[in-house]
Amino acid sequence: MPAVQPDSGDNLPITTLRELALAAAASAGLRAVVRVGVADALGDAPVPVAELAKTLDVDAAILARVLRNLRCYDLFDQTDEGIVHTPASRLLREDHPQRLKNWVLWATEPWVWQLWPDLEQALRTGRGHFDERFGDNFFAHLHKEWPESTETFNRSQIELSRLTSAAIADTLNLADAKTFADVGGGTGYTLAAILERHPHLHGTLVDLPAAIASPDPRLRPDGTLAARSQVVAGDCLHEIPVDADVYQFKSVLEWDDELTVTALRNATRAGHPGSRVLVITNLIDDSPEIRYATGVDLLLLLNTNGKRHTRAGVTALAERAGLRVVGVTPAGPLLHVVETVIP
Ligand SMILES: C[S@@+](CC[C@H](N)C(=O)[O-])C[C@H]1O[C@@H](n2cnc3c(N)ncnc32)[C@H](O)[C@@H]1O
């Protein structure tokens, strides 16, 4: 075999492997800078790294090293005057309308680092092993044992919903519906956006008690949507406690397939013939952000024994639950609405 020159184009596969094996360095650095608050401490003007470190009470030399690594991913930049923001690092600021700070924290939580090595076991056994490792199912364990992580999760879901709720509210045809239930709706950000866009609609937020402990301000008794909404604790794997014209499951049914069928069957029991059941999800075979979608898919495998669905996969599950599939429509660049009806 010919010798490979150190900096020749032939090196690309070697570089790819070296970088990929160390990709965790960037995830860890990203988490660390969010935790110490670098993005919020940096405004529009460049700040020398020593000054930034002093403000944040962190080690200047190590901050410089972490930022040097993150710069390789277009996250923060270095000028002669000091560190500056890039478009991506600005998304880590608390005041950014497209903030992803809590989502970054969620995706890099300490328990996530604990789970990644389990991928080998999942590969050998065909399933995730969260329940055996932690002694409970994912959401029960999250809510009981990791209250701070639950907070981070709820905030991260609001951040994701802020990116998508307008497109969902625009896409859904709700003219003929009077009642709408968002099942597993989290704190209710998306439900509130839908109710604001469709002023004739009454909405119910259904989620586990820990998720609705602090609902969206608009849905609270003194909120702007209080007269047209209710917040109800419920476990959709047990029973959905409301009859509605439309049920929405957004980014919820990404756990074990049997649980997905159970939740959808419970919607058919709660609703009436003609009620619509909408599964809103990031389809893995139609995703413009395939590295993100496939990464989340593997994390779901390890935490809920779940997955990102394919179009054929999710429609087959809906049919197994006794629903009639009407169609699949894009809602913004990332999500699809799988529309089904209770026969
Ligand atoms: C990925 S989050 C999505 C939240 C929200 N639909 C959104 O898109 O922002 C999944 C949600 O499902 C809820 N959930 C999990 N298990 C549930 C259950 N058995 N019954 C009802 N909700 C559940 C979680 O509490 C969480 O709010």
Side-chain angles (χ1 to χ4, degrees):
M1 276 190 38
V4 177
Q5 296 305 308
D7 290 312
S8 75
D10 296 347
N11 246 358
L12 196 57
I14 294 174
T15 306
T16 300
L17 277 188
R18 282 175 176 162
E19 290 179 357
L20 191 54
L22 280 170
S27 299
L30 179 56
R31 179 178 180 83
V33 298
V34 171
R35 293 275 303 174
V36 302
V38 174
D40 287 316
L42 195 60
D44 290 332
V47 181
V49 75
E51 200 180 303
L52 199 54
K54 198 158 176 234
T55 307
L56 297 169
D57 195 21
V58 300
D59 186 276
I62 294 184
L63 179 61
R65 288 165 66 183
V66 171
L67 291 176
R68 189 167 55 195
N69 178 255
L70 291 178
R71 274 210 307 281
C72 307
Y73 299 89
D74 293 327
L75 216 67
F76 301 101
D77 205 357
Q78 170 82 59
T79 66
D80 289 346
E81 289 80 39
I83 306 295
V84 291
H85 267 303
T86 59
S89 68
R90 278 187 196 282
L91 300 180
L92 302 173
R93 279 186 63 88
E94 190 67 39
D95 59 2
H96 198 288
Q98 292 173 305
R99 186 186 64 204
L100 278 176
K101 172 182 176 173
N102 290 284
W103 187 82
V104 163
L105 289 175
W106 168 250
T108 58
E109 286 284 71
W111 57 263
V112 174
W113 295 96
Q114 257 180 294
L115 283 181
W116 284 126
D118 290 357
L119 199 50
E120 180 184 338
Q121 196 188 3
L123 204 51
R124 294 185 190 282
T125 61
R127 62 188 172 83
H129 291 267
F130 187 96
D131 299 23
E132 288 136 71
R133 182 190 262 282
F134 292 106
D136 212 340
N137 78 61
F138 174 68
F139 279 107
H141 190 78
L142 172 70
H143 293 160
K144 252 188 272 164
E145 303 296 334
W146 298 331
E148 262 185 53
S149 206
T150 298
E151 277 289 300
T152 302
F153 177 61
N154 290 342
R155 282 198 287 261
S156 75
Q157 297 309 300
I158 294 170
E159 288 175 352
L160 295 183
S161 294
R162 280 162 58 152
L163 298 177
T164 57
S165 61
I168 292 171
D170 285 347
T171 302
L172 300 185
N173 179 357
L174 299 170
D176 293 337
K178 291 192 177 67
T179 52
F180 185 98
D182 194 359
V183 185
T187 57
Y189 185 93
T190 303
L191 176 64
I194 289 170
L195 292 178
E196 281 179 341
R197 188 64 56 91
H198 301 276
H200 67 284
L201 209 58
H202 185 283
T204 304
L205 174 67
V206 182
D207 206 306
L208 299 171
I212 57 163
S214 181
D216 189 283
R218 292 167 288 181
L219 304 177
R220 293 181 195 166
D222 58 348
T224 49
L225 295 167
R228 289 197 288 125
S229 64
Q230 57 179 341
V231 179
V232 179
D235 178 345
C236 69
L237 296 174
H238 178 61
E239 184 188 23
I240 295 172
V242 56
D243 180 7
D245 298 330
V246 181
Y247 294 90
Q248 168 175 280
F249 292 86
K250 174 176 162 270
S251 310
V252 178
L253 304 177
E254 298 178 328
W255 45 30
D256 185 90
D257 281 352
E258 294 313 309
L259 301 186
T260 294
V261 174
T262 301
L264 291 173
R265 273 207 188 109
N266 285 339
T268 68
R269 290 188 182 119
H272 49 267
S275 289
R276 290 149 69 197
V277 178
L278 312 176
V279 180
I280 303 187
T281 192
N282 175 212
L283 291 175
I284 201 162
D285 51 353
D286 205 350
S287 180
E289 296 180 24
I290 197 63
R291 286 187 185 172
Y292 164 64
T294 53
V296 172
D297 177 57
L298 295 178
L299 183 53
L300 289 168
L301 166 66
L302 299 183
N303 63 19
T304 62
N305 191 30
K307 58 160 73 101
R308 284 286 204 234
H309 294 287
T310 60
R311 184 182 291 244
V314 70
T315 52
L317 293 174
E319 280 162 2
R320 260 183 65 195
L323 291 160
R324 183 166 57 82
V325 177
V326 177
V328 181
T329 325
L334 209 57
L335 296 175
H336 280 81
V337 182
V338 180
E339 170 134 13
T340 75
V341 176
I342 301 178

